[in-house]
Amino acid sequence: MTDTQVSAQQSVAERAIAEHIRLVSSGQIDEWIDLFAPDAVLEFPFAPTGVPGAVQGRDALIAHMNNFPKTFDVKFVDLVFHQTTEPTKAIAEFRSTGRAVTTGKPYEQTCISVVYTDAAGRITRYVDYWNPLVAIEALTPGTDGAGADQVAFGS
């Protein structure tokens, strides 16, 4: 299976994750939002200070993600699903490879996502486990780490 190819055997939730990473990596945020239920929540358990731990509702989600393509130029690769017993729940592991647009620094991140969908296959809850220190380093100008407290995420 290619990095984001969807197979017929995948669960509804697995298909939602595969589409999520395809659309985000190609900068298609207007299409990406259609993957989510109206009251969906995107959670960030490791969010750094000053960054919301959760974003809820389609308007808030689109506002949060709108700048992602202007911030990071990434591809998501090595997508692996970990089996669950629920077709509306999926656990995925994948990597991002690319760079921060403003600094040109590499953005190499390993992610684990837990996604829940409704019966229609729309994402109701997306728990995004990523390392904010990798993003801070990529977005911080220079090599000495000065200015890391000025880094902005999301909206």
Side-chain angles (χ1 to χ4, degrees):
M1 183 166 78
T2 63
D3 290 331
T4 58
Q5 182 180 5
V6 178
S7 73
Q9 297 91 321
Q10 286 181 307
S11 72
V12 171
E14 288 173 343
R15 285 192 295 275
I17 291 175
E19 272 300 285
H20 160 78
I21 66 174
R22 183 185 72 78
L23 292 169
V24 170
S25 68
S26 65
Q28 295 178 276
I29 304 304
D30 290 338
E31 293 83 359
W32 169 84
I33 195 62
D34 292 334
L35 298 173
F36 290 82
D39 60 346
V41 63
L42 181 55
E43 298 176 25
F44 307 104
F46 302 130
T49 303
V51 175
V55 178
Q56 184 165 12
R58 288 172 61 120
D59 290 343
L61 289 168
I62 196 84
H64 179 78
M65 288 298 290
N66 235 1
N67 286 324
F68 187 88
K70 299 172 195 163
T71 306
F72 295 107
D73 179 17
V74 297
K75 296 295 177 206
F76 296 105
V77 297
D78 302 333
L79 175 61
V80 175
F81 291 105
H82 298 279
Q83 294 300 310
T84 70
T85 58
E86 302 170 49
T88 59
K89 177 182 180 182
I91 300 169
E93 187 175 349
F94 54 93
R95 292 183 315 107
S96 69
T97 182
R99 65 180 182 85
V101 173
T102 57
T103 65
K105 292 169 98 176
Y107 182 67
E108 306 290 325
Q109 176 82 260
T110 298
C111 302
I112 295 176
S113 297
V114 180
V115 173
Y116 302 83
T117 59
D118 60 18
R122 294 175 303 179
I123 298 169
T124 58
R125 181 178 175 212
Y126 192 116
V127 187
D128 195 8
Y129 294 94
W130 58 281
N131 183 350
L133 297 177
V134 173
I136 289 169
E137 172 58 30
L139 293 170
T140 301
T143 58
D144 62 0
D149 57 341
Q150 304 295 317
V151 173
F153 290 92
S155 54

